[in-house]
Amino acid sequence: MSSTSLADVEGLRALAHPTRLRILDLLRVHDQLTASECAVQLRLSPKSCSYHLHVLARQGLVEQGHPLAEDTRQRPWRRCFDEVQIPPPGETGGAGSDSARTDAIGASARHDLSLFLSFLASPQAEIGDWASSTTVHTRAVLMTPAELKAWGEAVEEVTRSHVEKAGRTRRDGRSPVRLAVRGFPQTAPGAETAD
């Protein structure tokens, strides 16, 4: 699995836009798409999709392929990396990078939540194998920052092994899936109203 980390402000800002996150998702499912094909699937204009694809290309996240045989003006786009990571605070560079990092993480969290809520509203959420395989885990515990970091790294190690295994096998019945795990210090109940 190839991955990259975006540590500069422009790269982080590129990820902080919902349309760009949707385009990256599309290019994960389809090996390559033209701006017009992206536009049809996202119900946007080709001009808008082309603009967002060029923003992603400037950050090295997508690249253009060879022209389609039937139309040399139409060039498909493809992802450059399977995974894009956002580094921890302090490892980003430039003025405003921590704010851009927070914006990118927030956009990703809203995107994940939107996809999950759309799934829950679909018939797929109530019947069949996908309904029984849907996973929701929430755990709250008292930890130090180091313990939370170690927990996240352990979850990532297990997750990576499942992703790599899925990448080595091809089976019918596959569909794009998403596992979103977030670990963060929670405000204690009642703390926001305490004197």
Side-chain angles (χ1 to χ4, degrees), residues 6 11-17 21 86 98-110:
L6 292 179
L12 293 167
R13 286 186 179 147
L15 284 184
H17 196 286
L21 293 174
I86 299 174
D98 286 342
S99 174
R101 178 184 177 278
T102 299
D103 291 345
I105 290 171
S108 176
R110 287 186 295 278

Side-chain angles (χ1 to χ4, degrees), residues 15-94:
L15 284 184
H17 196 286
T19 298
R20 291 178 206 136
L21 293 174
R22 292 171 66 205
I23 288 172
L24 287 172
D25 276 351
L26 268 182
L27 292 175
R28 181 175 282 115
V29 176
H30 303 279
D31 289 336
Q32 57 182 22
L33 292 171
T34 65
S36 295
E37 291 168 330
C38 285
V40 168
Q41 295 204 35
L42 298 178
R43 296 184 179 105
L44 298 170
S45 72
K47 184 176 181 178
S48 176
C49 284
S50 180
Y51 167 77
H52 290 298
L53 282 160
H54 280 89
V55 170
L56 292 169
R58 283 195 298 274
Q59 300 310 313
L61 299 176
V62 299
E63 63 186 4
Q64 283 193 305
H66 299 292
L68 299 175
E70 63 274 9
D71 185 352
T72 58
R73 294 168 299 151
Q74 289 287 323
R75 294 179 73 93
W77 294 85
R78 61 180 171 244
R79 287 179 71 106
C80 295
F81 301 97
D82 296 320
E83 182 181 356
V84 179
Q85 300 171 352
I86 299 174
E91 292 183 21
T92 54

Side-chain angles (χ1 to χ4, degrees), residues 1 57-59 93 108 115 129 131 180 184 192:
M1 171 189 297
R58 283 195 298 274
Q59 300 310 313
S108 176
L115 292 171
D129 292 340
F184 56 92
E192 61 277 354

Side-chain angles (χ1 to χ4, degrees), residues 104-117:
I105 290 171
S108 176
R110 287 186 295 278
H111 180 65
D112 288 344
L113 180 59
S114 172
L115 292 171
F116 184 57
L117 293 175

